[in-house]
Amino acid sequence: MADDLYPLTGRFLQGRLRHGMDQRELNILEGLIDRTELLQGESTILHRGDFCEYSTMLIEGMAIRSIADHEGKSHIVGFQVPGDFVDLHGFALKRLDHDLTVLGRARVGYVPHERLRAVMTQEPHLARIFWFSTLLDASIHREWIMKTTQLRAVGRMAHFFAELWYRLRMVALGDASGFQTPLTQTHLASICGISTIHVSRTLRDLREGGVLDFQRGRITILDSDKLKTIARFDPAYLYGEGGLAVGNALDKGTPETLVDG
Amino acid sequence: MADDLYPLTGRFLQGRLRHGMDQRELNILEGLIDRTELLQGESTILHRGDFCEYSTMLIEGMAIRSIADHEGKSHIVGFQVPGDFVDLHGFALKRLDHDLTVLGRARVGYVPHERLRAVMTQEPHLARIFWFSTLLDASIHREWIMKTTQLRAVGRMAHFFAELWYRLRMVALGDASGFQTPLTQTHLASICGISTIHVSRTLRDLREGGVLDFQRGRITILDSDKLKTIARFDPAYLYGEGGLAVGNALDKGTPETLVDG
DNA sequence: CGCAAGATTGACATCAATCAACTGAGGTGG
DNA sequence: CCACCTCAGTTGATTGATGTCAATCTTGCG
């Protein structure tokens, strides 16, 4: 459980703008969730083209955004961790351009769009916070474009692991030694745009190079400086506010206030 | 000039949600622009890390979003055309994670954040339209991730040209035979994540294959079906509404209403 | 005219995809 | 309990795509 007071939405923007919301807003946020659902295994909760009447918050577990190509094969274009309001953009876009799939065991919460419409008219500050959270995804997308056009296989994988580690620690998951994840090498291949075979080879190189180890659903970080260097990782694009919930090895940023009234 | 009634903002969401705004809102939008500026040559109008007090609309010309790597070399992660509210997200993010640079001759309009704050509190529907327009960029980012992880050099270039052609025609620029652009092969290399030399080779292949021709700032489309096939291009992610302003060769979509009250 | 930036071409090196074969863990049914 | 299956991961050999280096050409412009 993320937070005793806010068991459903306690991780939303944790480590980022969460402090920018007052008690009243945090209560409104928690109250937006109509019902939750526990999912097991890989299940797609939203399909491209769906017209949604609710948006989904990821409470526990991880999820991927993917787009099917002309042959029906799907490709991962985004990754979400607990606290992410994963298809808030479905509210403003109305129709989704991609699929959303949870991995492993996950709990999601549903927010009726009707309630979001009320937020838009009655809670402009909260509306702006929501807007911010969707722009965070866009910023991550830009970094992924950068990473795939700029880095080779080792760098891409290192970058993804560095980002994931950082994001998880922002929401008080994982620790200084590593983190758990339901990802398989096939997922990693899709995320990094390389073949599964080359993922296997690259993971071996990272392990033998003393950078990190990936075994049975757990990433162990062996040398965070090496990881950061190989990945050319600079967490500024994640808009964190300096302090990580747990550990701090990759973080050199300074606290800032990002959104005002 | 895009539109006699709305010379500054006439292209904003043209071909998309523009019809979702009423006369009153269109007037408010046009009135948001405080002043305009005419720029020549490649000039960076916004820098990573800037705390902005205004947002920028691209009125004429084209612009790139870029991120500098650890060596200071910049990499293009996004491309903007006239009508794009290019750093509207700077309003909600407050601090930009990338640079914005206009190419060639361009006119931009500045909107003070103060006026956007007023929109948030007094014009929730317009606020939602603005939100939508930033999510459009995110959708395009996702497609770029897809394109760079999924396609080889020829496919990436074809995809970029198909997208640009489509986006330009949405705002009544370019025509069935092609379009003008201030891009150089160096820009294309950065956008597609390949070397400039390979861009040259690939353009030759596209020319010799009768797909398209790129000469002195003009792209001539020779065979739009071939282009679409090589690029695996499906314009759904651009959230167009069916009718292009000029020509229709790549468009197979059906009209839809995307945002409601 | 002469320079600089952009573009082109050939030769070669490197990275990563593909093909094929094999291992190991977990699950299921007899 | 074991035989069998499937899915995930590993390894080696080969091929193809693309990067890099070096040289040359073209164009626009002062």
Side-chain angles (χ1 to χ4, degrees), chain A residues 170-182:
Chain A
M170 280 178 128
V171 293
L173 294 168
D175 56 40
S177 73
F179 55 91
Q180 298 285 133
T181 171

Side-chain angles (χ1 to χ4, degrees), chain A residues 75 94-95 239 256 258, chain B residues 94-95 150 239 256 258:
Chain A
H75 303 272
K94 203 68 193 171
R95 169 168 63 86
Y239 286 84
E256 281 169 359
L258 300 176
Chain B
K94 200 72 192 164
R95 169 168 63 85
Q150 174 62 6
Y239 286 84
E256 281 169 0
L258 301 175

